[in-house]
Amino acid sequence: MPASPSTARAINDRLALRLLQQEGPLTAGQLKQLTGLSRPTVADLVERLTAAGLITVVGEAGEQRRGPNAKVYGIVADRAHLAALDIRTEGVAVTVADLVGRVLAEASAPIGDDTGTGPAVEQAVALVERVVKEAGADRLHTVGIGAPGLIDPASGELRDSSGLPEWHRRLVAALQERLPEARVSVENETNLAALAEQRDGVARDRDTFVLLWLGHGTGAAVVLDGALRRGASGGTGEIGFLPVPGAAALPSSTDCEGGFHSLAASGAVVNLAAQCGVPAEPGQEPSAVGVVRAAAGLVRSAVRDARGAETGAGASGTASKGGASRSTGGAEVSVSPGAFPAAPPRALPAARFLDALADRLAVGVASVVAILDPGCVVLGGEVGQAGGDELAARVQDRIARMTPLPTEVRTTTLGGSAVLRGALLTARDRAQEELFTPGERPVQRW
């Protein structure tokens, strides 16, 4: 059955708006070329969208720069304002953007462990209000929140989870109360990071992949056939509870100690570095990001020196256990006592640390690969970014030996900022979904 005239107009309007979002400002002629619609149809939709306050003339194009064909149309960016929040155990980060996703203001603030629930909520809400004011926004249309923990698939609410601060759940409710006109939604932080990597990061070319989050804790997000999979209870990717060999005890329903968390969470990574003799970055307290970044940097420098050595002794097709290797266009350079005697002494403990960390990560990755066969695993979060190619290549090498399923291991390009980026993308999508809905639209600023 052919579409009714009103349905056809709605489809055309949404197509034009999506193109303006993706491509930026366009002339009517460019819209005609990209949509395949006739000139009169494009003229009609431009008139409709302009009258609805969704697009406006933002400039002129062409040599003569006059006449209707020279007008360049763009989405009215200040039609709505959006906010994105990244809630962590230790604090909160906030971004405010316009309808096309252009960031107008952003800030973050620490919230100490000893801060009470009420004061913590007030600090976070005050930060949101301050950033909104700095962005020049009167009010918010949509708020997207990324938080650790489980999201109830039925209610969309953050579930009560032991080990996570109570102010996380209270903050969501407080924002809904303080911003009654805004649409407030919350999503698991790792799921948002995967969305950001798929849209703007290292997984843009993948419809199926798994993101392994490596930060204060661990988590995983599963994208299959282009869609994020949350599971029956919203718990897909709770890899921290995965039982692992060699642990002193099994994880419980309320505690992931004894699971993969005990191998790859930040505290375990810092302890592993100390065991391997890898110091923290100069002048800083030991942290998972710091020790991994320091180790990767030492190995990277040693590899660079090895490749530049005229002896060629650093070239090797495989990485030896306890040596430092890095993928270099299909070949690997090894740093070990035998292969490169001139390697800085500190590079060898760093290489052993990255090898040991890769051994641990491979336990979780291999389990995911065996069940899902994603073809690609992204090492995400601040720790994944700190490890870089030096860590990713080691994990990929181990997975290749542990499973017959071909799996590429990539390093995040967004790092810890992926959660905030994912929250902003979901807020933008939700706002545009509502504002771009066909029908009579009152011109109202948000």
Side-chain angles (χ1 to χ4, degrees):
M1 178 182 296
S4 66
S6 62
T7 300
R9 286 194 295 270
I11 293 172
N12 293 340
D13 288 357
R14 292 182 67 83
L15 175 58
L17 289 165
R18 292 301 178 198
L19 285 170
L20 289 169
Q21 170 66 56
Q22 295 168 6
E23 305 293 333
L26 299 168
T27 64
Q30 290 170 326
L31 281 171
K32 174 181 178 297
Q33 182 180 9
L34 291 171
T35 61
L37 300 172
S38 68
R39 190 178 302 276
T41 299
V42 171
D44 287 344
L45 73 83
V46 166
E47 183 178 355
R48 280 195 306 274
L49 295 176
T50 301
L54 291 176
I55 68 172
T56 189
V57 176
V58 296
E60 293 183 330
E63 295 181 0
Q64 302 301 320
R65 293 186 179 275
R66 62 175 179 266
N69 292 334
K71 293 180 179 179
V72 178
Y73 297 91
I75 293 174
V76 179
D78 63 355
R79 179 75 167 77
H81 290 95
L82 324 168
L85 280 73
D86 179 4
I87 302 175
R88 302 288 182 98
T89 304
E90 67 279 5
V92 60
V94 180
T95 290
V96 173
D98 60 23
L99 183 57
V100 297
R102 183 173 60 245
V103 174
L104 304 175
E106 54 189 345
S108 61
I111 297 179
D113 293 339
D114 56 349
T115 306
T117 298
V121 170
E122 285 303 313
Q123 287 182 35
V125 172
L127 181 66
V128 173
E129 293 174 339
R130 176 167 68 84
V131 178
V132 169
K133 184 177 180 180
E134 291 175 356
D138 294 329
R139 52 183 170 174
L140 295 173
H141 181 281
T142 309
V143 179
I145 302 172
L150 299 175
I151 309 299
D152 189 309
S155 66
E157 296 179 352
L158 186 62
R159 287 167 51 180
D160 187 12
S161 302
S162 61
L164 294 176
E166 174 62 22
W167 67 265
H168 285 190
R169 296 179 67 247
R170 292 278 298 276
L171 175 59
V172 176
L175 288 172
Q176 291 172 329
E177 180 181 340
R178 300 274 277 269
L179 305 170
E181 295 180 320
R183 294 86 173 141
V184 180
S185 63
V186 61
E187 177 61 274
N188 174 266
E189 58 178 357
T190 308
N191 287 344
L192 290 176
L195 172 64
E197 293 288 357
Q198 184 185 35
R199 300 269 287 271
D200 294 337
V202 73
R204 286 190 299 269
D205 61 334
R206 303 292 307 195
D207 287 332
T208 296
F209 70 98
V210 168
L211 180 136
L212 178 62
W213 181 265
L214 302 171
H216 179 74
T218 60
V222 177
V223 177
L224 299 178
D225 301 323
L228 182 68
R229 307 297 179 175
R230 296 178 176 84
S233 63
T236 294
E238 287 296 318
I239 197 171
F241 287 89
L242 177 73
V244 293
L250 291 173
S252 70
S253 61
T254 58
D255 189 356
C256 54
E257 284 299 328
F260 183 69
H261 174 90
S262 63
L263 294 183
S266 60
V269 172
V270 171
N271 290 337
L272 179 64
Q275 293 170 17
C276 294
V278 175
E281 292 178 307
Q284 297 186 14
E285 289 293 321
S287 70
V289 174
V291 294
V292 172
R293 182 189 295 121
L298 287 168
V299 169
R300 193 177 301 118
S301 295
V303 169
R304 186 168 53 245
D305 293 344
R307 295 183 66 199
E310 293 182 355
T311 61
S316 174
T318 59
S320 61
K321 186 71 174 178
S325 65
R326 181 170 181 245
S327 176
T328 54
E332 286 186 341
V333 176
S334 174
V335 175
S336 64
F340 187 39
R346 292 179 64 194
L348 301 181
R352 286 193 292 270
F353 165 58
L354 292 181
D355 280 334
L357 180 57
D359 288 340
R360 292 185 174 194
L361 298 182
V363 172
V365 173
S367 300
V368 169
V369 169
I371 300 298
L372 297 176
D373 186 19
C376 177
V377 174
V378 176
L379 301 185
E382 295 90 348
V383 175
Q385 186 177 43
D389 292 340
E390 288 70 30
L391 181 59
R394 284 167 161 76
V395 176
Q396 180 168 318
D397 176 67
R398 284 151 179 78
I399 296 303
R401 289 187 267 116
M402 294 171 71
T403 173
L405 306 177
T407 305
E408 182 182 2
V409 179
R410 299 180 179 179
T411 304
T412 173
T413 56
L414 300 176
S417 67
V419 177
L420 203 57
R421 180 60 184 164
L424 182 57
L425 287 170
T426 58
R428 190 188 74 184
D429 289 350
R430 185 176 181 185
Q432 292 185 357
E433 181 71 24
E434 179 177 325
L435 294 173
F436 293 177
T437 298
E440 295 297 324
R441 309 175 182 89
V443 180
Q444 184 178 16
R445 302 289 174 181
W446 291 90

